[in-house]
Amino acid sequence: MASGTSRDVIRRGLWVLGRAIREQPRIFAVAVAGSVLFGGLVIASAYVVGAVVGDVVVPAVEAGEVGTGTVALAAVALFGISVLRVVGIFGRRLGAGYMQFRLQAAYRRRVTRRYLDLPLAWHHRNATGTLLSNANSDVEAAWYPIAPLPFAVGTLVMLVGAVGSLFVTDWALALVGLAVFPALFALNVVYSRRMAPRQARAQRLRAEVSGIAHESFDGALVVKTMGREAQETARFAGRARELRDSLIAVGRLRGVFDPLLETLPSLGTLAVLVVGTVRLRQGAITVTELVSVAFLFTVLAFPVRAIGWVLAELPRSVAGWDRVSRVLDATGEMPYGEVTLDDAGPATLAFDGVHFGYEPAEAHLPGTSVLGEVAFTVPAGRTVALVGPTGAGKSTIASLAVRLVDPDAGTVTLDGVDVRRLTAASLASTAALVAQVPFVFDDTVRANISLDRPGIDDEDVWAALRLAEADGFVAALPDGLDTMVGERGTSLSGGQRQRLTLARALAGRPRLLVLDDATSAVDPRVEAAILAGLRAPAPGQPAAASILVVAYRRATIALADEVIYLEQGRVLARGTHAELLATVPGYVDLVTAYEQAEQERAENRTYDEVAPLPTGLEIEVDR
Ligand SMILES: Nc1ncnc2c1ncn2[C@@H]1O[C@H](COP(=O)(O)OP(=O)(O)O)[C@@H](O)[C@H]1O
Ligand SMILES: [Mg+2]
């Protein structure tokens, strides 16, 4: 837990509740109104029961006969109260449920929206599992106490009403109430304050136990092949034991407090009967009043528990809220500028003195410099190939070119305008990145390519597919453009996925296309054909886009107007493919090594026929 004392947790928890009320004031008012109605009727029912006993039962016993009219009246009164109580419960539950689930939905939306706004650097620092639980269980935990909150607020009002009605009835009985109700309230507070750290500990251990289990299953292969079953079992058993002990501690506390919470009102009833009998003898109260008050003490015991429920949930709520607000308050999203580029033919991309380093995973570690003094230009309509060994910084340059990240020093410009000055929309329509690892949404082919962008019809989709050399296999799919692909649909080969993501980028008619090793799983001849097609969509036609392509294959690189050779974040050489082959030994080695690796790979598999390995297991062939 972020903060220390339980008093602090309760204070912060109440602040979170206050926030919830500010966000949903109307529904909260409905729920509290229902709860207050219920509370008022609980008090009323005590007095009606008293009246029934005093005015119907006692005279009936004394007279030996029952007045039908009075009984009917009493029955109608009790029935009416019950019906209204149902209305109150309904209003309270409905309101509380609405409020809780609406807040959950709203905050899930806010958290996921924030994920999209936060920069890549932030995502690099945060594990996917954490992001999932932030949007899911943390949001839920933050709003757990909302469910019993209206009940608790109604109960507070009811307690005040009860003490007031006691004073109207008899001051001596009121004093008993003043002793018992606050004691009951205080007991609830003590209970939840004791419970809070135990619950928090159990909650944390639950997460740890499932974490260990998850890790063991995930790493089952390693665990088995390394003969680590015994250690893994012991590790799991240790944590499971801790969880057991902590749950027993919770149970023990419950065992002490639950009976106390039950007993206190009974003791109160007893005190009422003792004091009440004396007052009855003195003639200060009537039988009706005595029965009413005794009954009141028994029916109040349960609603008071609602206050305890809210308090008990506060620590979990605060922990959840802390984790949710860590996302909502995270900063570093990239501010966009105001400039919109004209939509006029291929764009010019220029890097000038660009330095870049990834932020360290932990603040105290030094950041690493990945790019230094990188400068090059992709002139309008030209194709530039970026070549270099793994880790040279090619993907980083690709990210900078479409402004997924910003340089630490130097500038990246499109048509002479610093990309930081462009609007998000202008940037998105001007430059498109096709990443190394293709991502296909679990949707139709059409949706995967158009992404619901306005002005992209089926004809545009087909044109993009043709350019990506993907029209053939899409046409052969059972439902064509309507075929579901991705997780739940037709599974595609690695090369097919790559061509779909390429078509997706092309459909937006970008003026700069950045291909980060985007066709590596496609047959080499097809890859060259794609690039040739992109450079000149139709014979004699100028290129629609400037192209920055990360590539390794001779046939592909040879198509580029210029090759930039990169090593360890520095531009070592630039020129045509033929020039670099003749002058740069490292370049020759790299291209040759890649060709050999490809040949070996080709002997083991055929391009496009093999379904891709899951992300992360993709074999890196560019060493
Ligand atoms: N998200 C990241 N966080 C920290 N370091 C990174 C990250 N991504 C890449 N790097 C490092 O930056 C360097 C360049 O990586 P990258 O641009 O992916 O190279 P390439 O695409 O040429 O293989 C490598 O040393 C790599 O380890
Ligand atoms: Mg890369």
Side-chain angles (χ1 to χ4, degrees):
M1 240 177 303
S3 48
T5 64
S6 54
R7 182 167 303 161
D8 201 28
V9 168
I10 290 184
R11 189 179 53 75
R12 299 189 52 221
L14 292 177
W15 181 86
V16 175
L17 293 184
R19 190 179 175 110
I21 295 169
R22 278 203 302 281
E23 290 202 23
Q24 305 274 333
R26 277 197 215 125
I27 300 177
F28 183 69
V30 169
V32 168
S35 181
V36 170
L37 176 65
F38 173 83
L41 290 167
V42 166
I43 297 175
S45 71
Y47 283 91
V48 170
V49 167
V52 169
V53 172
D55 302 343
V56 181
V57 180
V58 175
V61 171
E62 281 168 357
E65 60 173 357
V66 183
T68 330
T70 336
V71 171
L73 190 65
V76 168
L78 283 176
F79 180 74
I81 284 179
S82 303
V83 170
L84 281 177
R85 249 159 80 160
V86 168
V87 172
I89 293 175
F90 184 74
R92 183 191 81 220
R93 291 240 171 122
L94 200 66
Y98 250 102
M99 188 168 169
Q100 188 186 14
F101 297 125
R102 275 169 80 147
L103 280 166
Q104 279 184 11
Y107 273 80
R108 285 214 169 96
R109 271 198 303 272
R110 282 186 215 178
V111 167
T112 43
R113 176 70 238 176
R114 196 84 200 113
Y115 287 160
L116 297 180
D117 288 340
L118 284 166
L120 270 192
W122 187 87
H123 283 274
H124 288 150
R125 285 195 304 271
N126 290 278
T128 316
T130 314
L131 301 192
L132 275 178
S133 76
N134 286 161
N136 225 347
S137 54
D138 291 335
V139 167
E140 263 168 35
W143 304 125
Y144 265 134
I146 297 300
L149 182 65
F151 198 7
V153 172
T155 302
L156 278 177
V157 174
M158 177 171 72
L159 282 181
V160 172
V163 171
S165 74
L166 282 179
F167 269 109
V168 170
T169 312
D170 182 50
W171 63 267
L173 292 177
L175 288 185
V176 177
L178 276 184
V180 172
F181 298 151
L184 203 56
F185 182 76
L187 195 62
N188 266 292
V189 173
V190 173
Y191 184 22
S192 18
R193 292 226 324 231
R194 290 270 182 118
M195 194 54 119
R198 288 173 174 78
Q199 288 277 28
R201 190 174 131 80
Q203 187 66 20
R204 197 195 65 226
L205 283 167
R206 253 185 221 120
E208 283 180 23
V209 164
S210 75
I212 294 180
H214 189 249
E215 233 173 69
S216 303
F217 301 150
D218 245 18
L221 193 69
V222 180
V223 171
K224 279 203 166 304
T225 52
M226 297 296 188
R228 292 201 41 93
E229 291 97 327
Q231 286 94 323
E232 276 301 298
T233 310
R235 192 158 75 102
F236 184 79
R239 213 43 64 87
R241 243 191 326 268
E242 273 185 64
L243 176 59
R244 179 199 64 191
D245 292 345
S246 113
L247 287 175
I248 289 177
V250 167
R252 213 177 270 146
L253 198 68
R254 213 169 255 163
V256 173
F257 275 87
D258 277 357
L260 274 181
L261 286 170
E262 296 283 326
T263 313
L264 205 56
S266 313
L267 287 178
T269 313
L270 199 65
V272 163
L273 289 178
V274 171
V275 174
T277 321
V278 174
R279 299 292 287 161
L280 191 62
R281 218 172 270 153
Q282 291 171 346
I285 54 170
T286 63
V287 172
T288 302
E289 286 167 335
L290 178 57
V291 173
S292 300
V293 172
F295 191 76
L296 189 60
F297 271 68
T298 50
V299 291
L300 276 180
F302 177 72
V304 170
R305 300 294 292 275
I307 295 166
W309 296 332
V310 171
L311 293 174
E313 292 290 359
L314 285 188
R316 191 144 57 132
S317 161
V318 169
W321 174 256
D322 280 346
R323 289 162 59 94
V324 168
S325 53
R326 200 182 58 88
V327 175
L328 296 181
D329 298 342
T331 50
E333 73 263 55
M334 296 189 294
Y336 289 95
E338 302 288 330
V339 179
T340 301
L341 293 177
D342 294 336
D343 190 3
T348 301
L349 169 75
F351 273 54
D352 188 15
V354 169
H355 288 258
F356 181 84
Y358 286 98
E359 281 175 48
E362 286 161 57
H364 60 91
L365 298 173
T368 49
S369 166
V370 172
L371 299 178
E373 277 304 310
V374 170
F376 67 88
T377 305
V378 182
R382 293 308 173 91
T383 299
V384 171
L386 205 53
V387 181
T390 300
K394 304 180 295 296
S395 294
T396 306
I397 288 179
S399 303
L400 284 160
V402 297
R403 206 182 171 217
L404 287 180
V405 292
D406 280 331
D408 298 334
T411 55
V412 177
T413 58
L414 278 170
D415 287 344
V417 180
D418 191 322
V419 288
R420 283 171 288 209
R421 294 180 52 215
L422 298 179
T423 62
S426 180
L427 191 62
S429 66
T430 305
L433 168 70
V434 187
Q436 219 162 353
V437 182
F439 183 82
V440 177
F441 291 96
D442 187 13
D443 209 330
T444 61
V445 172
R446 179 187 293 105
N448 258 291
I449 288 169
S450 73
L451 293 186
D452 280 338
R453 284 170 289 187
I456 298 180
D457 57 21
D458 277 9
E459 215 163 298
D460 301 322
V461 169
W462 279 115
L465 286 170
R466 261 194 305 281
L467 269 176
E469 302 275 342
D471 52 331
F473 84 81
V474 170
L477 287 174
D479 298 318
L481 290 184
D482 291 313
T483 309
M484 291 291 290
V485 291
E487 298 248 320
R488 278 180 293 146
T490 308
S491 63
L492 303 170
S493 75
Q496 288 171 336
R497 281 165 168 265
Q498 284 191 330
R499 282 180 279 168
L500 276 196
T501 48
L502 175 61
R504 179 191 297 154
L506 293 172
R509 299 179 197 280
R511 298 166 51 226
L512 170 74
L513 191 60
V514 181
L515 305 175
D516 184 4
D517 206 9
T519 39
S520 56
V522 176
D523 182 284
R525 280 183 309 276
V526 178
E527 185 185 57
I530 291 173
L531 195 61
L534 292 178
R535 294 191 61 209
Q541 287 275 304
S546 316
I547 302 172
L548 178 64
V549 56
V550 174
Y552 299 93
R553 292 164 175 158
R554 262 173 212 273
T556 311
I557 302 170
L559 287 172
D561 299 300
E562 191 184 29
V563 178
I564 293 176
Y565 181 61
L566 203 70
E567 257 183 40
Q568 296 184 352
R570 303 285 189 283
V571 177
L572 280 200
R574 58 203 306 168
T576 63
H577 176 58
E579 283 164 11
L580 294 193
L581 272 184
T583 55
V584 184
Y587 182 73
V588 181
D589 293 347
L590 182 71
V591 174
T592 316
Y594 187 79
E595 254 173 8
Q596 274 167 6
E598 271 230 312
Q599 239 156 35
E600 278 164 30
R601 191 163 67 142
E603 280 161 22
N604 295 323
R605 70 170 216 189
T606 320
Y607 291 100
D608 281 356
E609 280 173 11
V610 185
L613 292 166
T615 320
L617 296 178
E618 216 88 59
I619 300 163
E620 281 266 20
V621 283
D622 51 349
R623 283 189 184 275

